[in-house]
Amino acid sequence: MEHHQQPEPLSSPELAALRRSMTDGRLAMTRRSLLRAGGAAAAVIGGAGALSACGIPPAGRTDAAGSADHSAAEKRVTFSNWTEYMDVSDDGKHRPTLETFTRRTGIEVKYTEDINDNDEFFGKVQAQLAAGQDTGRDLIVLTDWMCARMISFGWIQTLDQANLPHAYAQLSAQFRTPAWDPGRAHSYPWQGIPAIIAYNKKATGGRKVESITQLLEDPQLKGRVGFLSEMRDSVGLTLLDMGKRPEDVTADEYDAAIARIQKGVDTKQIRRFTGNDYTNDLDKGDIAACVAWAGDIVQLQHDNPAIAYTIPKAGYMTSTDNLMVPNRARHKKNAERLIDFFYEPKNAARLAAYINYTCPVDGVREELAKIDKALAENPLILPDEEMAARSHSFRALSGKESKEFTQKYSDLTGA
């Protein structure tokens, strides 16, 4: 029996980051559903506190992965995802893409929106996974850094690429080789989440804002700049602006980036650090320019032509939310068939048209243009090769590094 590294309880700064993510983090408030995070937040935050208090059971076992697959006899799959992360009919009563999958395959999908935050979801399932038990879920969607953590514990099954012909063929080159999952052995991207620079042309007097240097140093933006409370995006963009690679950032380079952002705080260049509650201030012009998530900007531009964005020449940050099959899942092959279904361009286009984040599937442009020509031409949703080449991801951190980096960023932001 092979043992993996022991999961550790969340530190106070990591718990604080969880609370921020729940109340105003990425995906917490989209244009379609401004209230969806409110009801669950209190219960989730309470659960996170209990997680840190009770500690974590022993680490998982690799021999837990190979349980019997009941896909052939049980024509169903249980899919856990984030809220507002699946296409819904106009009347809100149907999920057209999932229903198409069921009609084609005969596999019923039990779809649950029970992922509100990476750390909170980890707290839900870690005891079962560590004990080699079925979580009751066949397919889950988590962000890359949490995927790396769970894969390192031996809690995620290796995918059978023979069941994933479309996914294998259609996965965009930009997402093919993450350091945390070589060869995509355990995961496939659900969506990409670019962090870029956004600005309000009315608030800047028509001037473009094109770099982190400009955000931190342009006197005409003083007091009207926003940075994200998500460390990997704000620090990652700052590192790129300094000519450093977030993929292999050292502790000294991280400290230098923190010091640079700290200067922006000390000089009152930076107005505040935000989750995606920056959208209201940017829309009104109270924030003139900021670090922003692409999906928010696509949605804001629907209603406000003054909202613009820049892909910095130095590069931009992209994280991914990823599909994975946890150990002991009863319906692995059915889950793989569902992953593959979403890598067919027509189905990927339906999803992209609704979500507005970066689609990880090649060959989607023609199908998306049938739905919405403007979305098909938007490089935030379908990056061209030049833009994709400028994408960077923050490297996976050890538990010790995560605590240290999070503490430093928490001290900086005052969270």
Side-chain angles (χ1 to χ4, degrees):
M1 180 187 305
E2 179 183 350
H3 289 275
H4 291 257
Q5 65 192 82
Q6 177 90 1
E8 298 177 358
L10 300 177
S11 64
S12 294
E14 288 170 318
L15 282 169
L18 186 162
R19 292 183 175 92
R20 289 196 304 275
S21 184
M22 276 301 301
T23 54
D24 64 4
R26 175 178 64 78
L27 293 173
M29 294 183 295
T30 67
R31 185 165 60 95
R32 296 187 184 88
S33 179
L34 294 175
L35 301 175
R36 69 165 191 247
V44 168
I45 291 169
L51 168 63
S52 67
C54 70
I56 305 290
R61 307 192 305 268
T62 53
D63 64 346
S67 57
D69 189 357
H70 300 271
S71 292
E74 300 173 0
K75 302 286 282 184
R76 60 180 182 270
V77 61
T78 301
F79 184 3
S80 284
N81 204 348
W82 299 68
T83 52
E84 293 289 319
Y85 226 13
M86 182 66 70
D87 59 304
V88 178
S89 62
D90 290 341
D91 63 9
K93 295 179 180 179
H94 300 277
R95 299 192 184 278
T97 307
L98 289 179
E99 291 175 7
T100 298
F101 173 78
T102 297
R103 283 196 301 272
R104 182 196 297 184
T105 64
I107 299 169
E108 294 288 337
V109 182
K110 180 183 178 183
Y111 185 75
T112 308
E113 295 180 324
D114 62 346
I115 301 178
N116 298 289
D117 177 274
N118 287 284
D119 284 315
E120 177 267 337
F121 186 78
F122 181 87
K124 283 184 183 179
V125 300
Q126 52 82 24
Q128 293 164 300
L129 289 169
Q133 298 170 354
D134 179 13
T135 65
R137 300 168 176 87
D138 301 305
L139 195 59
I140 59 177
V141 177
L142 294 171
T143 307
D144 43 25
W145 59 270
M146 180 57 77
C147 295
R149 186 181 188 191
M150 295 183 75
I151 290 169
S152 75
F153 296 150
W155 292 351
I156 301 299
Q157 296 200 49
T158 301
L159 297 172
D160 184 348
Q161 301 296 337
N163 296 327
L164 297 158
H166 294 97
Y168 184 81
Q170 302 295 138
L171 177 60
S172 298
Q174 177 182 355
F175 301 108
R176 279 192 177 270
T177 55
W180 52 270
D181 187 21
R184 287 286 178 188
H186 304 86
S187 68
Y188 270 91
W190 178 247
Q191 298 290 297
I193 305 105
I196 56 173
I197 293 173
Y199 58 99
N200 184 314
K201 289 182 284 188
K202 288 184 179 179
T204 65
R207 294 167 62 247
K208 294 182 179 180
V209 181
E210 299 181 301
S211 69
I212 293 294
T213 294
Q214 194 174 351
L215 284 180
L216 290 173
E217 298 177 10
D218 186 340
Q220 294 188 50
L221 298 176
K222 185 173 181 177
R224 298 187 297 151
V225 169
F227 269 61
L228 290 171
S229 57
E230 294 288 345
M231 175 271 286
R232 289 167 178 80
D233 292 325
S234 289
V235 176
L237 282 167
T238 303
L239 285 164
L240 289 169
D241 193 73
M242 298 166 67
K244 305 299 182 183
R245 282 173 47 85
E247 289 89 343
D248 45 32
V249 58
T250 66
D252 287 344
E253 289 169 347
Y254 182 85
D255 288 347
I258 289 289
R260 191 161 178 230
I261 302 172
Q262 183 68 58
K263 184 178 178 183
V265 173
D266 295 342
T267 61
K268 295 183 169 51
Q269 180 80 4
I270 296 174
R271 181 187 183 97
R272 65 191 184 102
F273 294 85
T274 72
N276 75 352
D277 53 333
Y278 69 84
T279 55
N280 289 330
D281 285 347
L282 181 64
D283 191 40
K284 292 185 295 184
D286 293 340
I287 286 179
C290 60
V291 178
W293 286 304
D296 293 333
I297 302 311
V298 172
Q299 293 177 15
L300 281 175
Q301 287 180 321
H302 279 289
D303 304 314
N304 187 346
I307 302 300
Y309 69 88
T310 297
I311 307 301
K313 289 182 180 179
Y316 66 101
M317 296 300 294
T318 301
S319 56
T320 51
D321 285 334
N322 306 276
L323 296 149
M324 302 190 300
V325 179
N327 286 355
R328 295 291 187 187
R330 288 181 63 86
H331 311 107
K332 179 173 182 281
K333 185 173 182 179
N334 290 347
E336 290 166 341
R337 290 183 70 180
L338 185 56
I339 294 172
D340 199 60
F341 174 82
F342 278 107
Y343 271 78
E344 295 178 28
K346 184 174 183 178
N347 304 323
R350 288 179 185 169
L351 193 64
Y354 189 85
I355 296 176
N356 295 167
Y357 282 89
T358 298
C359 179
V361 183
D362 278 340
V364 168
R365 192 175 308 278
E366 182 178 342
E367 293 293 341
L368 187 55
K370 295 176 185 176
I371 302 170
D372 188 319
K373 289 184 179 180
L375 292 180
E377 297 302 320
N378 191 323
L380 297 180
I381 297 174
L382 298 180
D384 56 26
E385 288 186 14
E386 180 186 358
M387 180 173 166
R390 286 152 64 189
S391 169
H392 296 263
S393 299
F394 212 96
R395 72 171 173 85
L397 301 176
S398 68
K400 182 173 182 288
E401 287 176 323
S402 178
K403 284 179 169 56
E404 292 174 352
F405 283 26
T406 303
Q407 181 66 63
K408 289 175 180 177
Y409 196 64
S410 177
D411 292 344
L412 166 69
T413 62

